[in-house]
Amino acid sequence: MHLPTWLALSESSWAPVSASVAAGAVTVTATAAPSRVEWGLGDGTVVICEEPGTIWRPGMDPEAESPDCGHTYTRSASEIEVTATVYWTVTWTSTIGTGGSFADLATASQAVWEVAEARSVIVR
C-alpha cells in the first residue's frame, strides 16, 4: 500500500495489426493501431494511458513512480481485479484509391492480482 504500481503492456501487444483481402483486382487492407489503454484498477480508479507504459525492471527504484502510466493504491486488499481495455483506431485503404476509418474497437482483458504486503511496527 502506498507504493507506486507501474502499469504497462508489452511492446509487441502495442503494435499495429493489418489484414488484407482481395476480391478480383481490388485489395483492401485494414489496419488497427492502439490509441490508448484504460486500466480499471479494482479500487474504483481508472487510469488512461496513451502509450503502452514503461515496464518496471529489477534494479529500478521500487519506490519510484512510473514515468508515464501508474497508480498508487491507498487501501489494503488481499487481491485486486484489474481490467485493461485497449482502444484501437481502425483505418482501411484499397488498391483503387478509396479508404476510410471505422469506429474505434476495444479489446479487454482481466486478471486478479494477489497482493503481498509487509507491514512493520517499530517498537522503542
Side-chain angles (χ1 to χ4, degrees):
M1 184 168 69
H2 296 288
L3 283 177
T5 301
W6 290 34
L7 305 169
L9 300 173
S10 67
E11 288 190 28
S12 63
S13 66
W14 194 259
V17 178
S18 294
S20 297
V21 64
V26 179
T27 300
V28 175
T29 301
T31 301
S35 60
R36 73 185 185 280
V37 57
E38 292 184 7
W39 294 90
L41 296 166
D43 64 352
T45 302
V46 174
V47 173
I48 300 172
C49 302
E50 294 182 2
E51 298 291 330
T54 301
I55 296 174
W56 187 90
R57 303 209 186 281
M60 297 173 126
D61 181 358
E63 295 184 22
E65 291 186 13
S66 168
D68 49 15
C69 190
H71 174 64
T72 299
Y73 287 95
T74 58
R75 288 180 286 153
S76 181
S78 60
E79 63 181 34
I80 298 169
E81 184 174 317
V82 177
T83 303
T85 304
V86 177
Y87 290 86
W88 302 81
T89 300
V90 183
T91 58
W92 64 276
T93 59
S94 72
T95 54
I96 60 171
T98 58
S101 61
F102 296 104
D104 280 0
L105 297 177
T107 56
S109 182
Q110 290 182 316
V112 175
W113 292 350
E114 290 186 33
V115 178
E117 289 187 64
R119 294 181 185 218
S120 61
V121 177
I122 299 174
V123 179
R124 294 182 184 227

